[in-house]
Amino acid sequence: MTERGHWPSVRERLDRVSLRARIGILAAAVAAGVVVLVSLAAFLIVRQSILETLDDNLYQRATAAAQSELAKPELISTIPPEVLGAGDIRVALVYGSGFAQSAEGPASAPPLSDAELEVARGDEEDSFRTAAGYRVVAVEAGEGRALVIAQKLDSTQAVLSELATALPVIGGIGVVLAAFAGVAVASAGLRPVQRLTAAAERVTATGELRPIPVSGSDELARLTQSFNEMLGALAASQEQQRRLVADAGHELRTPLTSLRTNLELLAAADRPGAPTLPAEDREEMLADVRAQVEELTQLIGDLTELAREDAPAVPREPVEMTDVVERALERVRRRAGDLRFDVSLVPWTLVGDPTALERAVLNLLDNAVKWSPPDGTVRLRMVPLDDWTIVVEVADSGPGIAEADLPHVFERFYRADTSRTMPGSGLGLAIVRQVAVRHGGAAWAGRAPEGGALLSLRLPGRRGDVLPPEERAAG
């Protein structure tokens, strides 16, 4: 009994059995059902065939005897059974009045009933029945009489008994073979599943993400291929996390080292007997500390943003992209000095996260400000590709991006050789690409006609003066 105080059900017991054994049991059960149906049908068909053959034989004999001189009353009592071809046959001549004559007297008469009387009276042409272990056949013999022949069924019953014994035995053997075949087929079919199980256990125990060899093209092969793709995605995610941690550690090490050095110098200057630190140097070191804290704050914020594999849980709402761009421009202008901004905007609406979109545009503008000379110009354009796609282009008047660096500028922590001494975490453009992908768009880099860098952000949506398809269809 189980802990709940009752015997486990059949389903509960089956759940404890291995899948291979369950398939074997299912195969045996199906085979048993088929064997029972086939055996029963075969027995009934053979039995019917034997009885029909016996009836035809007896009918032919009775008809031949009824049409011969043997059916005369004066001769019926002298007919030996051997004349009709068998020693286990009984013969009688039945009258419509109910009187009967048999070959060897009443004791040897076949079993008689109303069925034979109806044939004698002419109500029926013939009759067939089984009685007292005999198969009884009656045919008309003329003049209100019927000739009745009965043959023992001992030999027929013996054949049917042997058949009734042989069919279950053969069927039982078939059921056992079906069970073994089901287990064998299940073992062969579940071998890929066993490999998947072993691979999952290996990943759990060792962390190895080695793919499984794939053979064939059936459903299990496709399952193995999907499992390998999952392992590949997991390996790529692990590698991405490892690189993020390594790159983050490398980026954090420099500001932390500088911050610790400045703090140690300030602390040493405050010790009794230490040389007095000039006020100008002290103020410069405090400014460095504040800048390093700000850099760390920005770096940690960028890392937190990029570490999210899924989009943040923020409501997506209709966003007017022109408002987003104008807010980002206002923030950039406050720290851009004498830089000029050449801006061209168009009404554009999309569904998304306004904060993330503003962060992406702000990062593009900050990058352009960083690379533009003091008297340079930052160009921002909103260029509709069609009624449902727009590109936000930001170009600077700096030195531009080398061809070898163009494919990598949106990668995490990537810095070209010329930018390693510039401030920044190396994560701003990676955040731009992440925001673009989350909104169903893309980001890429190129060279502006004026020679500087041209960074583009493509986003879906619709023009402010264009109705969506469903509204146009309704109109």
Side-chain angles (χ1 to χ4, degrees), residues 216-431:
S217 59
D218 56 6
E219 291 80 2
L220 290 175
R222 291 197 294 273
L223 175 61
T224 305
Q225 182 65 35
S226 299
F227 187 81
N228 287 340
E229 292 174 358
M230 182 191 69
L231 291 180
L234 184 58
S237 178
Q238 285 187 348
E239 176 63 18
Q240 188 179 31
Q241 292 178 0
R242 186 192 65 79
R243 288 176 53 195
L244 179 62
V245 171
D247 293 340
H250 176 74
E251 292 293 329
L252 288 169
R253 189 177 297 113
T254 300
L256 284 174
T257 301
S258 178
L259 183 61
R260 183 177 60 185
T261 301
N262 288 330
L263 291 175
E264 288 177 351
L265 288 174
L266 290 172
D270 290 337
R271 294 192 185 102
T276 301
L277 188 65
E280 183 178 338
D281 292 342
R282 185 182 184 88
E283 185 63 29
E284 183 179 350
M285 292 177 67
L286 288 174
D288 287 343
V289 169
R290 284 192 293 269
Q292 288 150 10
V293 169
E294 291 178 0
E295 184 178 353
L296 283 173
T297 302
Q298 180 183 357
L299 181 58
I300 292 172
D302 291 343
L303 285 173
T304 303
E305 180 71 21
L306 286 172
R308 304 177 190 173
E309 292 297 330
D310 297 325
V314 296
R316 297 174 67 85
E317 58 189 51
V319 178
E320 178 52 58
M321 196 63 190
T322 304
D323 296 339
V324 170
V325 173
E326 288 177 345
R327 288 196 299 269
L329 277 168
E330 183 179 355
R331 294 174 60 181
V332 169
R333 282 192 173 105
R334 289 198 294 263
R335 54 178 180 259
D338 296 332
L339 284 177
R340 297 182 299 274
F341 289 87
D342 180 9
V343 180
S344 176
L345 306 180
V346 296
W348 193 263
T349 304
L350 71 156
V351 176
D353 178 8
T355 303
L357 292 169
E358 183 177 343
R359 177 72 178 276
V361 176
L362 183 63
N363 287 356
L364 291 177
L365 291 171
D366 280 338
N367 183 81
V369 169
K370 180 174 68 174
W371 287 102
S372 295
D375 58 346
T377 300
V378 174
R379 176 168 56 84
L380 187 148
R381 295 282 188 273
M382 292 177 63
V383 182
L385 298 183
D386 52 40
D387 289 342
W388 313 108
T389 307
I390 196 171
V391 175
V392 179
E393 296 181 345
V394 177
D396 60 56
S397 50
I401 303 174
E403 290 292 336
D405 297 325
L406 285 176
H408 307 289
V409 294
F410 288 95
E411 296 178 2
R412 296 173 179 176
F413 298 107
Y414 182 81
R415 290 194 182 185
D417 294 336
T418 57
S419 64
R420 297 191 182 277
T421 59
M422 300 289 290
S425 64
L427 297 175
L429 295 183
I431 293 175

Side-chain angles (χ1 to χ4, degrees), residues 462-473:
R462 63 184 178 90
R463 292 178 62 99
D465 55 351
V466 176
L467 293 175
E470 59 273 15
E471 294 183 17
R472 288 192 296 177

Side-chain angles (χ1 to χ4, degrees), residues 93-179:
L93 191 63
V94 178
Y95 292 84
S97 61
F99 177 73
Q101 286 182 284
S102 60
E104 298 180 357
S108 63
L112 300 176
S113 69
D114 293 340
E116 288 76 29
L117 290 176
E118 290 178 357
V119 176
R121 294 167 183 163
D123 297 335
E124 298 288 343
E125 294 182 0
D126 50 44
S127 67
F128 301 85
R129 66 187 183 90
T130 300
Y134 284 84
R135 188 65 176 170
V136 182
V137 176
V139 297
E140 290 182 343
E143 300 178 0
R145 298 171 299 173
L147 183 67
V148 181
I149 295 182
Q151 183 173 351
K152 281 187 177 181
L153 294 176
D154 292 347
S155 58
T156 301
Q157 293 294 344
V159 172
L160 293 177
S161 297
E162 291 179 0
L163 182 62
T165 302
L167 286 176
V169 171
I170 296 174
I173 296 174
V175 170
V176 173
L177 293 178

Side-chain angles (χ1 to χ4, degrees), residues 19-21 23-24 180-194 220:
L19 181 59
R20 184 187 301 106
I23 293 177
F180 280 110
V183 172
V185 171
S187 299
L190 294 176
R191 196 168 292 120
V193 178
Q194 293 173 344
L220 290 175

